[in-house]
Amino acid sequence: MKKLTTVFLLGLISMSLTAQKLTKDKKAIIASVENHKENLIMLSDSIWALAETAFEESKSAELLADYAEKNGMTVTRGVANIPTAFTATYGSGKPVISVLGEFDALPGLSQKAVPTKDPRIEGAPGHGCGHNMFGAASLGAAIAIKEQIEAGTIKGTVKFLGTPAEEKYFAKVWMVEAGLWDDVDVNVSWHPGANIEADVQSGLSLVDFIVEFYGQAAHASGDPWNGRSASDALELYTNGINYYREHIKPTSRIHYHIQDGGQVVNVVPDYARLWVRVRDPKRKVMLPTYERVKAMAEGAAIMANVDYKISLVSGIYEVLVNRAGGEIMQKNLELLGPITYTDEEIAFGKSIQKATGKPEVGMDSEIKPLKETEELPGGGSTDVGDVSWNVPNINLSVTVAPKDTPWHSWAVVACGSMSIGHKGLVYASKAMAMTMLDLFDDPKLVEEVKEEFKTRKGDEKYEPMIDGPPPINGIGG
């Protein structure tokens, strides 16, 4: 009993200290998110159920844009020649603080909100990266700031950017090229995760391209000597890639997906196609690897006596970290404290961990100290990187799934439309809005963030890796 009483008292003291540190304006921010909470959850759950993939997120984008408009923001749809991209702004003058919202799903990850693998629709898409929560939480943060500008508490402009196709084509590259961040002082973003942290780690730069081989069809048994096999070239090419892996930097990655290797067994295939991706934490290392992998396609074509074609899909930069911004976010996370979970939510998390072969330890929402920035991080890639090379970016990760959950899997989808995911999106909305409030309140913070951005970027000139318009209707546009 004495131990429980001590824990209870310590909890009260902690809550009291947090309450003392929360300013009137930050309490108003939190109250705004709470006021919109049920609608934000409804938006997220609707987008979760729609599960629309890259450049097909018409209904998901419409839900978010309509809610922004309903709450008094000025919405511009179809920006950067992308039907599902939009902006929602409010206010005038400086500073201009933007916030990102993603909403695209991944193919083949349909899942019910249950802790065992059980598709809603077999083979259909699902939100295995939590982007249904991403867009809703970010819009909630933008609306909370809008209400403070409207009340006269702060001055400036808030800008929400609805950014589609992060999982496949990286639409932010075209949005950057269209100048949508040209007037922005600082950008704020978050990503669903399995822990809460002010994210001061980078990601991997990458380039995506399509390789096509063109040969001559013939009967595979009757007269194969009259054929020139495109699939022979494809196999020679993938073998070349795989032999090359020994000779690239340990930090680099090469992936490929065979999209067409021929249609039937008794025809020498006259066409073959694969999607290739090259990554590295540093773009300057990734680019020479990319050039070498491209050159290998010509070698494969020569050996198989076929023609070939390479088409750039898009490419993205690594994230340019901003620790000054991370420190602002960190203070707000410490003000908010960890997310608390019910016994039922912890049991749900443990069931997912059991089903995915992970230790059954439940949820992790502890607020940890700000980490050191790694020089060569692993992990994935994001087109937030391109934004971060054009405007200072402050990033956040928030728990929406159990610890060690496999990402891009049914397990994340399962959490995305139940209370674990709901708590994460509400928390992210508050943390981002509080951080944005600090930037509106204190011009010195904005200058510190911008100064670090200039120092880290140095003399490097940003060069978007796109060729032509966005591929709205598939490869090549």
Side-chain angles (χ1 to χ4, degrees), residues 155-233:
K155 294 180 179 179
T157 307
V158 62
K159 186 173 187 178
F160 174 89
L161 293 109
T163 60
E166 190 275 341
E167 296 291 2
K168 190 172 184 180
Y169 297 113
F170 311 119
K172 293 184 195 67
V173 186
W174 284 276
M175 295 176 74
V176 166
E177 187 72 354
L180 295 177
W181 282 272
D182 285 357
D183 63 341
V184 173
D185 292 291
V186 181
N187 185 77
V188 178
S189 183
W190 81 289
H191 202 285
N195 66 324
I196 297 176
E197 65 176 354
D199 186 1
V200 288
Q201 306 304 327
S202 186
L204 277 60
S205 66
L206 68 77
V207 61
D208 275 348
F209 57 102
I210 302 296
V211 180
E212 297 170 281
F213 294 105
Y214 302 88
Q216 171 63 55
H219 194 293
S221 179
D223 62 340
W225 49 86
N226 283 329
R228 293 181 290 111
S229 174
S231 68
D232 282 356

Side-chain angles (χ1 to χ4, degrees), residues 73-86:
M73 300 184 78
T74 300
V75 174
T76 304
R77 293 170 168 83
V79 297
N81 295 314
I82 301 171
T84 53
F86 67 96

Side-chain angles (χ1 to χ4, degrees), residues 3 30 54 84 90 93 122 130 135 142 147 171 177 180-181 267 278 297 309 346 395 398 402 432:
K3 183 178 179 182
I30 290 171
T84 53
Y90 186 86
E122 193 69 47
E147 291 176 356
E177 187 72 354
L180 295 177
W181 282 272
V267 174
V278 179
K309 177 184 175 183
I346 293 169
N395 203 37
V398 174
M432 287 189 294

Side-chain angles (χ1 to χ4, degrees), residues 27-37 140 143-145 147:
K27 288 178 182 177
I29 287 287
I30 290 171
S32 170
V33 175
E34 285 292 329
N35 183 48
H36 290 273
K37 175 180 172 180
I143 291 170
I145 291 297
E147 291 176 356

Side-chain angles (χ1 to χ4, degrees), residues 138-149:
S138 296
L139 182 56
I143 291 170
I145 291 297
K146 174 262 174 185
E147 291 176 356
Q148 291 301 297
I149 296 173

